[in-house]
Amino acid sequence: MAETRDFSLFTRPRPDGGSQMEIAIEGINCGGCINRIENTVKHLPGVADARLNFTNRRLTIAWQDPRFEPGSAIDALGRMGYRAYPFAARNAEEEDAKQAKFLLRCLAVAGFAAMNIMLLSVSVWSGNVTDITPETRDLFHWLSALIALPAAAYAGRPFFMSAYRALAGRRTNMDVPISIGIILALGLSLAETITHAEHAYFDSAVMLIFFLLCGRYLDHAMRQKTRAVAGNLAALKAETAYRMLDSGELVQVPAAALEMGQCILVRAGERVAADGIVVSGRSSLDQSLITGETLPHKVGSGDTVYAGSINLEGTLTLRVTGAAENSLIDEIDRLLDKAVKARSRYVRLADRAAGYYAPVVHSAAALTFAGWMLAGAGFHTSILIAISVLIITCPCALALAIPAVQVVAAGKLFRSGIFLNAGDAIERLAEADTIVFDKTGTLTLPEPRVINAHIIDPDMTVAAARLALASRHPLAAALARHTDVTAPFDKAVEEPGRGVGATVDDRTMRLGSAEFCDIIGDPAFAEAERLGASTICFRWGERQAVFIVHQSLRPGAADAIAALAARGFDIHILSGDRPAAVAQIATALSVRNWQGGMTPAEKVAALEGMKAQGRRVLMVGDGINDAPSLAAAYVSMSPITAADLSQAQADAVFLGERLDPVIETVTAARKARRLMHQNLALAVIYNAIAVPLAVAGLVTPLIAALAMSGSSLLVTLNALRARSGGKAVTAIQPLESVARTA
Amino acid sequence: MSVLVWLVPIALGLGLTGLFAFLWSLRNNQYDDLEGAALRVLDDDDLVTPPARPSTEREA
């Protein structure tokens, strides 16, 4: 590589005066890789340290020498066969890591307190039936209080803070009854201790915190891992741009480092890295990722070009305008904001359950108190029994029931190459009854393919593909992809904007435009015209061939659509492409409901219309024009090849070329939802047994502790059933499609 | 019950030691890469000098 590279955006200063950078690496599978990568990078001149994190597949390199060029580490990794890309963690991910550590610290404190209090409590319980002296019991209770109160104050913060936020916003959530239960249990126990009573409930309160933190940490860890891998994929997909300096020099920079007003050069076959206005050059662009339109779009100087389009022909110089001045992106931004606000009102199953549960539990406790008072039991006994009702019904099982299922189901999907973005995505996926597909890039593959090779001589196809290897043109790339040839012809000469030529066995070969190959009136032209496809011509001496290159259906799309329809889903296609092109795909997939030529706003309006009919829509799409509809739909999915903006809006992102993950996801989600309901039912049954006992005043701390642990264990075991069924796909295999785009 | 005067502080002290050891290791990023740590155990390259690798330049 001759160009200079600038990675300053990704380097961070170190406390010791040096610099460091993180690199996301693809293709690490085993422990041996750790050693190979670290040793190789460490031995590069200038590198002070290299440490690979196997969990999130990122290498951190540190160096002191300001002259060290981090690109050399990426090249070294490339020579070893690993694809690598500089990585800067997003703010959300850093926040996540902090939150995970916070939960872990709370968990450790709760665990320590629970163990030690349990030791003291067991002594008290066994002492109560034999020979413990009141003084010793009091001492043990005071010791328990001494451990429990600070520990609960420290470790209970995740619940207290969330409950406080909910109450301040005049809502209620799962954490409100939890916090009330914990605080009342501690308060009661302290009062009991002061009055020298036989029982205290410190152990119940602290164990409750411990169990709940376990659930919460697991949930968090799962999503953190998903997010880390998805972040790596995004980094590996990230674009670089050739920036033109005022001196006329070219510097390769990450697209993220571009600023307004800078000039970039886009050559034929490259993806445009930023929005901009054409300063010089003429070309046609493939804008399928932006608008869904598959026909090339001609641009000249003064025209606006959007990031994500592919430059098909000439070299363009662009002045970067960012997202500031163009109407399409502006409008998409505006639609996105609206859609995201509309969806944030979704209430999770657990919180909905808590909404019914908390008033019931609290009134049961109040009634118990009133009942015992009326029965003449005295204030102290009545409040004691009322509080034990609160403790035993404390929604331990309820709070674990739903996150536990979510974690297990998300883990299963993760192993199949499906990453969930949102914690409540599973519930919403399970409730969907209508699926809306985008066409370009979703039902069809993101890259065009040769579709008429079966009527062309195989030796012609192979020869054309070998010649195509010498060109960077996207249509040539499609032809090269079609066969598995790897050896280009020597001495192939590319004529920019026209084609490639070579002489083999004294016969000339030409691949490119019709006039370059001197071909007129092939039936393939009419066919291509009808489909709205592109053609690439090939002449080999006297023989000639015209290849039609067009978006092709994802493999197995028809089967996947049929399977989804068989599961009772209503299938629709909404596309920005021309109606004729959409009609063809709709017929091939036997989908009756379709619309073409839609703008982002029209798509959102169509989704709103379905919503008004009471449908719950799962939107599957990939283009930038789909981002608002992905956000507006009840729930959404994107393939990993989708535009960044769309991926950020999707509730789930899937790897691979097939559409099967959509089926797998909805199946797993429906199963998970069934298990969540079962778990809620288990929690209700548990309460139906425990509450009468508590109301009758029969609950001792021992029974409370056992009942609580037992019910938690039961729902966790039930949640593990979400893991069974379905097939595990290795998440590594489908990555080539990602690797290709950069 | 004078034995409690010794046993209770010892039990709590041991528990606290464990807790602080955990918090210390957490602060030192020991839990950032659990999968990698499990695999690094199997790596015995620190026992011998690493063989020269043709693709890397080595410092003198």
Side-chain angles (χ1 to χ4, degrees), chain A residues 136 206 225 256 372 421 438 503 634 668:
Chain A
T136 317
V206 177
K225 188 173 173 188
W372 281 91
N421 256 347
D438 164 49
T503 307
Y634 192 64

Side-chain angles (χ1 to χ4, degrees), chain A residues 406-699:
Chain A
Q406 269 177 357
V407 172
V408 178
K412 180 183 170 237
L413 289 173
F414 183 81
R415 282 188 297 277
S416 310
I418 302 159
F419 306 132
L420 295 177
N421 256 347
D424 50 13
I426 289 186
E427 293 161 39
R428 284 186 281 121
L429 277 164
E431 289 167 8
D433 53 16
T434 304
I435 304 186
V436 173
F437 284 99
D438 164 49
K439 181 188 78 83
T440 316
T442 307
L443 289 175
T444 60
L445 286 172
E447 302 109 17
R449 309 244 161 151
V450 176
I451 56 170
N452 67 335
H454 55 279
I455 56 164
I456 291 171
D457 286 341
D459 62 322
M460 287 287 278
T461 310
V462 168
R466 285 186 65 184
L467 194 54
L469 282 173
S471 168
R472 286 198 61 173
H473 195 281
L475 293 181
L479 184 55
R481 252 200 318 276
H482 184 74
T483 58
D484 46 12
V485 294
T486 49
F489 290 116
D490 304 336
K491 293 184 239 145
V493 182
E494 182 158 15
E495 288 186 36
R498 284 163 54 83
V500 223
T503 307
V504 179
D505 305 336
D506 296 333
R507 279 192 300 173
T508 19
M509 262 187 187
R510 290 186 153 198
L511 180 76
S513 65
E515 50 170 19
F516 180 65
C517 302
D518 198 18
I519 295 177
I520 349 170
D522 193 283
F525 290 128
E527 174 73 6
E529 182 77 21
R530 194 178 65 76
L531 294 174
S534 317
T535 51
I536 183 164
C537 302
F538 180 56
R539 169 170 294 284
W540 185 3
E542 290 305 302
R543 302 168 72 192
Q544 64 180 50
V546 177
F547 297 93
I548 302 178
V549 181
H550 193 43
Q551 304 278 330
S552 61
L553 277 178
R554 276 186 187 262
D559 294 342
I561 300 280
L564 286 169
R567 274 161 215 257
F569 285 103
D570 197 8
I571 314 266
H572 293 251
I573 300 177
L574 300 180
S575 172
D577 204 358
R578 294 158 305 115
V582 187
Q584 201 207 347
I585 297 287
T587 321
L589 296 174
S590 29
V591 175
R592 260 170 297 142
N593 304 309
W594 60 267
Q595 271 179 283
M598 300 185 86
T599 64
E602 283 169 350
K603 282 193 179 186
V604 172
L607 290 174
E608 295 293 340
M610 291 184 197
K611 196 172 167 191
Q613 293 169 24
R615 293 163 184 272
R616 291 175 165 171
V617 180
L618 162 60
M619 170 90 199
V620 188
D622 77 319
I624 290 172
N625 62 329
D626 295 318
S629 10
L630 289 171
Y634 192 64
V635 58
S636 50
M637 291 182 74
S638 277
I640 192 72
T641 44
D644 289 344
L645 189 62
S646 306
Q647 271 182 30
Q649 295 308 324
D651 292 305
V653 175
F654 60 91
L655 294 174
E657 287 209 325
R658 304 182 66 88
L659 279 177
D660 298 354
V662 178
I663 308 177
E664 200 179 330
T665 311
V666 293
T667 312
R670 287 183 171 184
K671 181 170 184 192
R673 190 175 145 83
R674 252 196 336 272
L675 288 171
M676 285 179 193
H677 283 150
Q678 280 174 14
N679 272 352
L680 290 181
L682 280 173
V684 169
I685 293 170
Y686 154 75
N687 281 320
I689 299 166
V691 171
L693 288 176
V695 171
L698 297 174
V699 173

Side-chain angles (χ1 to χ4, degrees), chain A residues 44 82 220 237 257 262 270 279 283 325 370 382 430 435 455 465 477 661 675 688 719:
Chain A
L44 290 174
Y82 300 103
H220 199 87
K237 213 175 70 126
Q262 294 177 338
E270 287 178 352
V279 178
S283 177
E325 292 163 33
S382 305
I435 304 186
I455 56 164
L675 288 171

Side-chain angles (χ1 to χ4, degrees), chain A residues 167-353:
Chain A
L167 289 177
R170 293 172 177 277
R171 288 175 292 113
T172 177
N173 63 10
M174 206 65 239
D175 294 327
V176 175
I178 290 173
S179 302
I180 295 179
I182 292 171
I183 292 171
L184 281 180
L186 289 173
L188 168 77
S189 308
L190 198 60
E192 292 286 83
T193 305
I194 294 170
T195 54
H196 312 288
E198 267 191 29
H199 297 302
Y201 296 81
F202 292 113
D203 49 341
S204 304
V206 177
M207 278 231 311
L208 180 66
I209 297 180
F210 179 70
F211 273 122
L212 293 174
L213 280 171
C214 282
R216 206 149 292 194
Y217 178 71
L218 279 179
D219 177 41
H220 199 87
M222 187 68 232
R223 262 182 298 137
Q224 203 186 2
K225 188 173 173 188
T226 305
R227 207 173 285 184
V229 174
N232 280 2
L233 288 172
L236 288 164
K237 213 175 70 126
E239 313 280 337
T240 55
Y242 290 99
R243 193 183 140 204
M244 265 169 51
L245 301 181
D246 295 335
S247 57
E249 237 181 308
L250 273 186
V251 186
Q252 191 189 16
V253 293
L258 288 174
E259 283 169 27
M260 286 267 286
Q262 294 177 338
C263 276
I264 55 171
L265 195 72
V266 186
R267 294 174 215 173
E270 287 178 352
R271 207 177 267 275
V272 179
D275 297 332
I277 290 178
V278 179
V279 178
S280 64
R282 300 190 67 80
S283 177
S284 57
L285 296 177
D286 171 358
Q287 293 196 328
S288 55
L289 193 60
I290 326 289
T291 59
E293 165 81 58
T294 42
L295 279 184
H297 176 79
K298 293 227 177 301
V299 291
S301 64
D303 287 334
T304 307
V305 172
Y306 302 113
S309 2
I310 300 172
N311 184 8
L312 294 177
E313 279 157 24
T315 302
L316 290 174
T317 311
L318 302 180
R319 182 173 305 283
V320 177
T321 56
E325 292 163 33
N326 58 59
S327 55
L328 180 77
I329 299 284
D330 263 356
E331 188 187 333
I332 284 176
D333 252 9
R334 198 171 45 72
L335 287 169
L336 259 181
D337 273 357
K338 234 169 82 186
V340 169
K341 271 186 203 129
R343 198 168 67 183
S344 60
R345 290 193 213 109
Y346 181 83
V347 185
R348 288 167 170 233
L349 196 54
D351 286 342
R352 259 181 290 165

Side-chain angles (χ1 to χ4, degrees), chain A residues 133-146:
Chain A
T133 62
E135 295 75 36
T136 317
R137 184 166 60 215
D138 276 356
L139 171 71
F140 278 16
H141 279 167
W142 277 114
L143 276 172
S144 301
L146 203 68

Side-chain angles (χ1 to χ4, degrees), chain A residues 103 106-112 114-115 118 155 159 178 182 203-219 394-401 403-404 686 704-716:
Chain A
L103 284 175
C106 290
L107 188 62
V109 172
F112 158 78
M115 277 191 297
M118 200 44 94
F159 311 105
I178 290 173
I182 292 171
D203 49 341
S204 304
V206 177
M207 278 231 311
L208 180 66
I209 297 180
F210 179 70
F211 273 122
L212 293 174
L213 280 171
C214 282
R216 206 149 292 194
Y217 178 71
L218 279 179
D219 177 41
C394 208
C396 192
L398 193 62
L400 271 176
Y686 154 75
L706 285 180
M708 212 163 54
S709 320
S711 68
S712 309
L713 215 59
L714 203 61
V715 295
T716 312

